Every structure is written in structure tokens, then in C-alpha cells.
């Protein structure tokens, strides 16, 4: 006899809000605080931490992929990224902090490598906006991949609120890394597809375990 029921991981993948909102809010606030501490250190300490960002197509600048999202070109740059980072990172924890860590790692690395490959020469790319675009794209498409009406509704709301961000995907704005935004968004779609595929594979495995 077999009684297939939805796998717990599949149900978790269709959540709209984090299962532990206080913990998710703490993670989002802690990451944002880290960005402010790094910017404060850049102001106080001698030298220029921003030079640790991504130097496109230079092997010596490849390690900037790891540090660029933590660096900002002044307080105004950081202020502009603060609300998107707080809100989008919180919502991206709907499937749990572990899933969020995986999604963020994919966005972090793919967006950084994209900038390193096709970013502007003789310049340094920094900022957390690539992460913000990645989380936004992830939230926009996960509902389609998960076939979850609630997530699709949230995606429509986010699209209405942050539709202006989409202009950052196109070249032409001085001082704006459209490459980081574009590859961040593509990485968000990739992360949504990979994590959804993983959840779907859990369904037949769970149903098979109930046969007897």
C-alpha cells in the first residue's frame, strides 16, 4: 500500500515568508550591519578597501569576486542598497536559512564572475546590488518553477515596487555596473531553477519510502 503525501521539502519550497521570521530578520540585519561596519572601516583605516573589488580580466583582481559585495563607494551607495538588501534577503529565506545560503552563494559567485569576464577595463566594481538583483530575480521566478500561487502574487508585488531596478540591467548609466546587475539576475534565475529541481526530486523518493 502506498499513500503519497507532499514531501516536507516541497512544502517548504512553496512558502511565502520565512518559517522563522525572527531568525530570518536577524540574518538580514546582521548582513546589513556587516556592510556598514566594512564601510566604516574603509573610512577610518588608512588605504582604500574598495580596491579589493573586482578588477575585470585581471588574475590579481579575481579575488574581488569574494569581497566586492561587501564594499561600497561611499555612504550614499550603501544607503541606496540598504532597503533592497534587507527586504529581499528576508523574503529569500522563505525556504529556510540553509536554502537561502545556497541561493546567495550561487548569486554571489556567478554575478562576480560575470563582472570579472565582461566588466569595464581599468576599473573596480563593488557593491551589493548584484546580490539584490539576484534575490529579486530568484523571488520573481521561484513561484513559476514551484507552481505556487502565493509566491507568484508576491513576485507581482515586488515587480511593482522595484520595477525601476530593471533599468539597471541595461548599459548606459554612468557608474552603474549593469554587468553585475545582469549576471546577478541570471544567477537568481539559475538558483531558483536548481533549488526547485532539487525539491521535485525529493517527491518520488518520499512517496517510494511509504510503499509497503
Amino acid at each position: 500500500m502506498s499513500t503519497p503525501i507532499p514531501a516536507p521539502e516541497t512544502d517548504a519550497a512553496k512558502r511565502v515568508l520565512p518559517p522563522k521570521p525572527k531568525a530570518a530578520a536577524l540574518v538580514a540585519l546582521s548582513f546589513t550591519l556587516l556592510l556598514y561596519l566594512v564601510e566604516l572601516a574603509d573610512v577610518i583605516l588608512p588605504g582604500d578597501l574598495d580596491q579589493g573589488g573586482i578588477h575585470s580580466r585581471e588574475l590579481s583582481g579575481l579575488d574581488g569576486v569574494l569581497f566586492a559585495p561587501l564594499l561600497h563607494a561611499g555612504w550614499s551607495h550603501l544607503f541606496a542598497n540598504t532597503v533592497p538588501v534587507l527586504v529581499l534577503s528576508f523574503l529569500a529565506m522563505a525556504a529556510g536559512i540553509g536554502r537561502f545560503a545556497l541561493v546567495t552563494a550561487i548569486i554571489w559567485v556567478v554575478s562576480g564572475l560575470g563582472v570579472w569576464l565582461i566588466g569595464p577595463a581599468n576599473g573596480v566594481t563593488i557593491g551589493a546590488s548584484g546580490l539584490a538583483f539576484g534575490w529579486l530575480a530568484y523571488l520573481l521566478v521561484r513561484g513559476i518553477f514551484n507552481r505556487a500561487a502565493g509566491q507568484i502574487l508576491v513576485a507581482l508585488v515586488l515587480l511593482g515596487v522595484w520595477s525601476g531596478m530593471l533599468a539597471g540591467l541595461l548599459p548606459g548609466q554612468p557608474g552603474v555596473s549593469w554587468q553585475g546587475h545582469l549576471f546577478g539576475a541570471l544567477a537568481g534565475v539559475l538558483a531558483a531553477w536548481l533549488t526547485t529541481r532539487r525539491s521535485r526530486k525529493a517527491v518520488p523518493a518520499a512517496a517510494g519510502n511509504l510503499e509497503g
Side-chain angles (χ1 to χ4, degrees), residues 19-62:
K20 298 180 179 179
K22 290 183 180 179
L26 181 60
V27 171
L29 287 169
S30 297
F31 179 71
T32 305
L33 177 60
L34 174 62
L35 300 182
Y36 275 81
L37 291 176
V38 170
E39 185 59 29
L40 181 62
D42 190 28
V43 171
I44 295 175
L45 297 177
D48 186 2
L49 294 183
D50 292 347
Q51 291 303 311
I54 301 171
H55 297 255
S56 300
R57 295 175 299 284
E58 294 182 16
L59 289 178
S60 60
L62 190 57

Side-chain angles (χ1 to χ4, degrees), residues 39 68 71-82 126-129 175 181:
E39 185 59 29
L71 304 168
H72 289 82
W75 294 109
S76 60
H77 185 200
L78 178 54
F79 293 157
N81 283 335
T82 297
I126 55 176
S129 56
H181 298 170

Side-chain angles (χ1 to χ4, degrees), residues 1-206:
M1 176 180 178
S2 63
T3 309
I5 60 175
E9 187 174 356
T10 302
D11 292 340
K14 293 187 177 182
R15 289 193 191 106
V16 172
L17 295 175
K20 298 180 179 179
K22 290 183 180 179
L26 181 60
V27 171
L29 287 169
S30 297
F31 179 71
T32 305
L33 177 60
L34 174 62
L35 300 182
Y36 275 81
L37 291 176
V38 170
E39 185 59 29
L40 181 62
D42 190 28
V43 171
I44 295 175
L45 297 177
D48 186 2
L49 294 183
D50 292 347
Q51 291 303 311
I54 301 171
H55 297 255
S56 300
R57 295 175 299 284
E58 294 182 16
L59 289 178
S60 60
L62 190 57
D63 58 352
V65 171
L66 298 177
F67 304 115
L70 303 176
L71 304 168
H72 289 82
W75 294 109
S76 60
H77 185 200
L78 178 54
F79 293 157
N81 283 335
T82 297
V83 172
V85 165
L86 279 171
V87 174
L88 298 175
S89 64
F90 175 80
L91 291 176
M93 285 183 251
I97 294 176
R99 175 68 58 84
F100 168 75
L102 175 59
V103 167
T104 300
I106 293 171
I107 296 169
W108 195 302
V109 173
V110 172
S111 62
L113 290 177
V115 170
W116 187 82
L117 285 171
I118 68 169
N122 303 319
V124 183
T125 301
I126 55 176
S129 56
L131 287 179
F133 270 85
W135 289 326
L136 177 60
Y138 168 77
L139 293 168
L140 289 178
V141 303
R142 64 172 181 169
I144 299 173
F145 290 138
N146 286 326
R147 298 168 188 164
Q151 291 181 349
I152 292 174
L153 179 60
V154 170
L156 292 175
V157 173
L158 291 174
L159 189 59
V161 173
W162 274 296
S163 58
M165 287 180 62
L166 300 181
L169 298 173
L170 303 174
Q173 301 182 53
V176 175
S177 175
W178 64 270
Q179 297 94 337
H181 298 170
L182 177 61
F183 276 93
L186 292 175
V189 174
L190 175 64
W193 179 73
L194 289 175
T195 55
T196 302
R197 185 183 179 193
R198 176 185 172 188
S199 295
R200 286 180 179 174
K201 284 185 176 180
V203 176

